């Protein structure tokens, strides 16, 4: 809402006009451009007659003019932009400005000379272009056609041209630099982009604006680069209208003689903090926006991550069955807010290491959509410390960690697969080896197109890691997750979709590997308030950590022993 309130037009509200920051643009002492014009009515008129110069048709006509080298004019413009930004900063800090001017007495003179050189060069180019008799189509040709009708002076045309150069050069260069940097950091994204381009074009001459517009993945990469690092390095300041006004429901007072009130939105502040994401990764928006009619058994859901997950799913309308030894306390449940879409939470008392009890409860529940295996206990003994029986014999160590965290998980997977043979589902599991073993097998028809995924939480405040034990981690400035954050990752793993598979197995064709579908065989690492999917990068870098020859031979062994019926 802040964006629309500050920069848009609201019925019954005055316009937040541009601040005097824009008076520092080139040519403003002679004529305003579409950037520097502060009068809303005049600015609207400029936008109207400039629109033809930048229509799709006009841009296609100008495409052949694009050069692969930087013009000296661009270098001059970019150099003066940095100095202009410094000048704007100094106006905000008078004391700093006086110190700067004392130490750099020739700075203002040099800045004025650069600006004058730029304006003079721009005027010369515009005069030559206006007097040139040519059928060449460029953005100036449209302005020249309207020059007499709109009464545009040479200085006015030069002011527009100056801003076009700035807007179309430095911003583009910044975005391309950011995209290149992150593509180098994320080889999987680079590989996907290379595949799209090389499968679309066989020679350079085929590439143009129209043909490149069909590259959906390239478009997504460009948008992601703009999100991660907006090329505009500053906010666009607007002046609060007389009498003050509201921004996103908050009242902002008007400017006074002793107080300068500026409204703006910092582009770097509105971007998400996370780094480059896979452009084709899709949230299951329907899951969050509509009621979820799912039957979800959750193993180990009486506290911590499990209970947070159960409540999150229930709050979206799901029917959740908690299987655990101890029922959640009333006090614990009161910590979770009520939702208008609450489903149901049903508790089943169950010793999770008991196969017969698990089987009976799964049989009682019947149809299931998602299964979450979350049971786990902390190490309660030292396996290598000697303990003795009443008769003095060496006692066998207790294996509760293995029984609950591994054996119970394997049993739940078995019961889930049995239920999924006639239906589809996504699930979460903590055993990475199990994920990799079942990844190529589960999507087959005999398992109802089931999928298996995992969430591996790092330090998370739960009963296993109470807040006091997590305090030293936080004191060191290190990330600690909440149970709710891990719960979000679990729900995501069960509902997300992928643009391609983690990796192929055995006789899988390229079409299979690149097929879209539900998440399968993926693992989310949660660390603080961040998620990272780790299985795909692990698979992508197999040649590096395993060795190319070893990886190739292992892949051929998989082909030789793959007895699946692969399409």
């Amino acid at each position: 809402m802040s964006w629309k309130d500050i920069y848009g037009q609201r019925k019954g509200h005055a316009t937040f006009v541009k601040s005097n920051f824009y008076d520092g643009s080139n040519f403003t002492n002679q004529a305003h451009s579409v950037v520097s014009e502060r009068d809303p009515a005049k600015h609207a008129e400029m936008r109207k007659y400039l629109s033809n110069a930048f229509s799709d048709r006009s841009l296609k006509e100008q495409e052949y003019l694009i050069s692969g080298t930087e013009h000296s004019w661009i270098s001059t413009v970019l150099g003066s932009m940095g100095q202009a930004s410094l000048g704007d900063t100094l106006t905000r800090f008078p004391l700093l400005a006086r110190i700067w001017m004392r130490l750099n007495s020739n700075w203002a003179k040099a800045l004025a000379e650069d600006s004058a050189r730029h304006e003079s060069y721009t005027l010369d180019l515009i005069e030559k272009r206006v007097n040139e008799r040519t059928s060449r189509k460029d953005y100036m040709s449209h302005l020249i056609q309207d020059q007499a009708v709109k009464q545009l002076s040479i200085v006015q045309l030069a002011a527009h041209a100056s801003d076009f150069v700035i807007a179309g050069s430095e911003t583009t260069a910044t975005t391309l630099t950011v995209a290149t940097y992150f593509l180098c950091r994320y080889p999987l994204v680079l590989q996907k982009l290379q595949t799209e381009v090389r499968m679309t074009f066989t020679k350079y001459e085929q590439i143009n604006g129209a043909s490149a517009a069909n590259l959906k993945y390239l478009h997504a990469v460009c948008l992601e680069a703009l999100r991660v690092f907006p090329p505009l390095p500053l906010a666009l300041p607007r002046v609060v209208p007389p009498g003050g006004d509201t921004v996103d429901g908050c009242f902002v007072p008007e400017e006074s003689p002793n107080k300068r009130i500026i409204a703006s939105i910092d582009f770097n502040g509105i971007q998400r903090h996370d780094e480059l994401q896979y452009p084709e990764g899709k949230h299951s928006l329907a899951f969050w926006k509509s009621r979820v009619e799912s039957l979800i058994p959750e193993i180990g859901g009486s506290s911590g991550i499990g209970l947070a997950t159960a409540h999150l799913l229930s709050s979206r309308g799901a029917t959740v069955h908690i299987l655990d030894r101890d029922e959640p306390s009333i006090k614990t449940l009161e910590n979770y807010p009520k939702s208008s879409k609450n489903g149901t939470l049903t508790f089943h008392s169950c010793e999770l290491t008991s196969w017969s009890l698990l089987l009976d409860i799964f049989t009682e529940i019947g149809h299931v959509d998602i299964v979450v295996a979350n049971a786990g206990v902390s190490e309660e003994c030292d396996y290598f410390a000697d303990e003795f029986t009443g008769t003095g014999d060496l006692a066998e160590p207790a294996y509760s960690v293995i029984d609950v965290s591994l054996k119970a998980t394997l049993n739940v997977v078995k019961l889930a697969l049995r239920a999924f043979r006639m239906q589809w589902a996504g699930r979460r599991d903590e055993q990475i080896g199990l994920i990799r073993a079942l990844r190529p097998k589960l999507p087959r028809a005999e398992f109802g197109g089931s999928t298996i995924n995992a969430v591996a939480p790092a330090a998370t405040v739960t009963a296993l890691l109470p807040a006091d034990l997590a305090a030293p981690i936080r004191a060191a400035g290190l990330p600690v997750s909440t149970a709710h954050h891990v719960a979000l990752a679990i729900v995501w793993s069960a509902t997300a979709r992928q643009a391609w598979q983690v990796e192929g197995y055995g006789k899988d064709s390229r079409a299979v590997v690149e097929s879209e579908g539900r998440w399968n065989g993926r693992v989310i690492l949660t660390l603080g308030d961040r998620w990272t999917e780790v299985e795909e990068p692990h698979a992508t870098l197999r040649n590096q950590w395993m060795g190319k020859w070893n990886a190739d031979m292992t892949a051929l062994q998989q082909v030789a022993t793959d007895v699946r019926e692969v399409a």
Side-chain angles (χ1 to χ4, degrees):
M1 287 300 297
S2 297
W3 179 272
K4 294 181 179 179
D5 291 350
I6 296 173
Y7 301 107
Q9 301 292 327
R10 291 186 290 171
K11 188 176 181 179
H13 293 261
T15 301
F16 284 62
V17 300
K18 295 178 180 178
S19 74
N20 57 8
F21 163 80
Y22 294 89
D23 291 338
S25 301
N26 292 302
F27 297 102
T28 51
N29 61 334
Q30 305 173 65
H32 283 290
S33 69
V34 69
V35 173
S36 63
E37 180 56 66
R38 298 171 62 191
D39 185 303
K42 293 180 180 179
H43 180 264
E45 177 64 20
M46 288 181 180
R47 287 191 60 178
K48 184 177 180 180
Y49 68 69
L50 288 172
S51 61
N52 289 333
F54 295 95
S55 64
D56 287 342
R57 178 181 176 181
S58 297
L59 292 176
K60 290 177 182 178
E61 292 175 341
Q62 302 169 37
E63 185 175 354
Y64 74 98
L65 297 172
I66 296 176
S67 171
T69 58
E70 182 181 90
H71 196 280
S72 58
W73 188 21
I74 304 297
S75 302
T76 302
V77 171
L78 297 185
S80 64
M81 283 180 62
Q83 296 300 314
S85 297
L86 177 59
D88 178 66
T89 302
L90 293 177
T91 61
R92 303 167 191 267
F93 302 96
L95 177 60
L96 177 62
R98 287 196 294 271
I99 296 173
W100 174 263
M101 294 303 295
R102 177 66 63 87
L103 297 176
N104 301 271
S105 57
N106 293 325
W107 173 79
K109 180 181 179 182
L111 178 61
E113 290 176 351
D114 284 344
S115 178
R117 188 181 305 112
H118 165 62
E119 292 183 2
S120 176
Y121 186 77
T122 305
L123 281 169
D124 288 343
L125 285 178
I126 295 303
E127 287 180 351
K128 289 179 181 179
R129 180 65 183 86
V130 169
N131 296 323
E132 184 180 20
R133 299 193 176 201
T134 178
S135 59
R136 186 184 74 179
K137 295 291 186 180
D138 55 33
Y139 72 85
M140 286 302 302
S141 61
H142 294 275
L143 297 182
I144 293 172
Q145 289 175 5
D146 294 336
Q147 184 182 9
V149 177
K150 302 298 181 182
Q151 298 182 342
L152 303 178
S153 66
I154 295 295
V155 176
Q156 180 95 76
L157 293 176
H160 287 314
S162 173
D163 288 337
F164 294 161
V165 169
I166 295 173
S169 57
E170 191 271 341
T171 51
T172 305
T174 298
T175 301
L176 289 175
T177 301
V178 171
T180 301
Y181 169 75
F182 279 107
L183 285 171
C184 291
R185 282 196 59 187
Y186 294 84
L188 181 68
V189 179
L190 175 60
Q191 182 182 24
K192 182 74 174 179
L193 180 59
Q194 289 173 332
T195 300
E196 181 184 60
V197 173
R198 291 169 182 172
M199 290 183 67
T200 305
F201 306 113
T202 57
K203 53 185 178 181
Y204 178 79
E205 291 72 20
Q206 296 175 328
I207 304 175
N208 55 47
S211 60
N214 297 320
L215 302 180
K216 295 181 180 180
Y217 197 77
L218 174 62
H219 182 66
V221 168
C222 293
L223 291 179
E224 185 67 2
L226 289 168
R227 181 192 68 80
V228 173
F229 195 95
L232 194 63
L234 44 79
L236 302 175
R238 296 290 189 269
V239 178
V240 179
D245 208 334
T246 57
V247 175
D248 198 16
C250 299
F251 181 77
V252 181
E254 68 176 310
E255 187 173 3
S256 64
N258 299 321
K259 185 177 293 185
R260 186 184 184 195
I261 305 297
I262 297 294
S264 64
I265 296 177
D266 183 5
F267 292 96
N268 290 285
I270 61 175
Q271 71 181 61
R272 293 208 307 267
H273 71 276
D274 51 342
E275 292 184 346
L276 190 71
Q277 302 295 311
Y278 299 139
E280 288 194 60
K282 298 177 181 177
H283 292 262
S284 295
L285 295 178
F287 178 86
W288 296 106
K289 292 182 178 179
S290 63
R291 188 176 181 85
V292 179
E293 300 293 349
S294 298
L295 284 156
I296 305 170
E298 180 173 13
I299 316 304
S302 292
S303 63
I305 296 170
L307 185 57
T309 304
H311 178 268
L312 182 62
L313 291 164
S314 172
S315 70
R316 303 308 302 174
T319 299
V320 182
H321 295 264
I322 297 177
L323 284 66
D324 210 333
R325 183 175 57 187
D326 301 313
E327 187 170 0
S329 66
I330 299 298
K331 183 177 180 180
T332 301
L333 291 175
E334 289 176 348
N335 293 329
Y336 292 95
K338 299 296 183 181
S339 168
S340 60
K341 291 186 177 181
N342 272 347
T344 60
L345 283 175
T346 303
F347 178 77
H348 301 264
S349 179
C350 177
E351 186 61 52
L352 301 180
T353 58
S354 171
W355 168 261
S356 59
L357 290 177
L358 288 174
L359 178 60
D360 288 344
I361 294 174
F362 264 80
T363 302
E364 176 186 346
I365 294 173
H367 176 92
V368 297
D369 295 304
I370 299 172
V371 174
V372 179
N374 179 68
V377 296
S378 60
E379 295 187 24
E380 299 173 347
C381 65
D382 183 349
Y383 290 104
F384 301 102
D386 289 344
E387 295 185 9
F388 299 92
T389 65
T391 59
D393 295 328
L394 184 65
E396 181 181 11
Y399 294 108
S400 56
V401 172
I402 296 175
D403 288 342
V404 176
S405 301
L406 179 59
K407 181 181 176 182
T409 294
L410 291 173
N411 286 343
V412 169
V413 170
K414 169 65 177 176
L415 291 167
L417 292 180
R418 175 176 177 269
F420 291 158
R421 290 182 188 275
M422 300 301 294
Q423 58 201 54
W424 65 270
R427 58 169 261 83
R428 171 263 193 197
D429 192 276
E430 296 178 352
Q431 309 303 321
I432 306 302
L434 187 63
I435 299 290
R436 294 171 184 164
L438 294 178
R439 180 164 57 211
K441 185 176 183 180
L442 287 187
R444 293 159 61 186
E446 64 181 282
F447 293 108
S450 306
T451 60
I452 184 169
N453 300 291
V455 173
T460 305
V461 175
T462 63
L464 300 181
L465 181 66
D468 58 329
L469 294 182
I473 304 176
R474 285 180 166 149
L478 299 174
V480 175
S481 299
T482 63
H484 177 71
H485 177 73
V486 180
L488 287 171
I490 293 173
V491 175
W492 167 258
S493 72
T495 60
R497 297 190 64 81
Q498 59 189 13
W500 56 84
Q501 311 299 312
V502 172
E503 64 178 341
Y505 177 86
K507 299 175 183 176
D508 285 343
S509 65
R510 181 175 178 178
V512 170
V513 176
E514 295 184 351
S515 61
E516 185 182 7
R518 296 176 57 248
W519 254 34
N520 181 45
R522 295 183 179 273
V523 177
I524 296 176
L525 170 67
T526 60
L527 194 61
D529 61 352
R530 297 176 69 93
W531 302 351
T532 304
E533 200 288 304
V534 296
E535 276 300 283
E536 192 167 336
H538 177 271
T540 302
L541 298 174
R542 186 179 302 280
N543 286 347
Q544 281 78 7
W545 58 261
M546 191 175 186
K548 189 175 187 310
W549 186 86
N550 294 330
D552 289 344
M553 292 302 102
T554 302
L556 291 174
Q557 289 176 344
Q558 291 177 354
V559 173
T561 57
D562 188 1
V563 296
R564 299 173 304 154
E565 294 182 4
V566 181

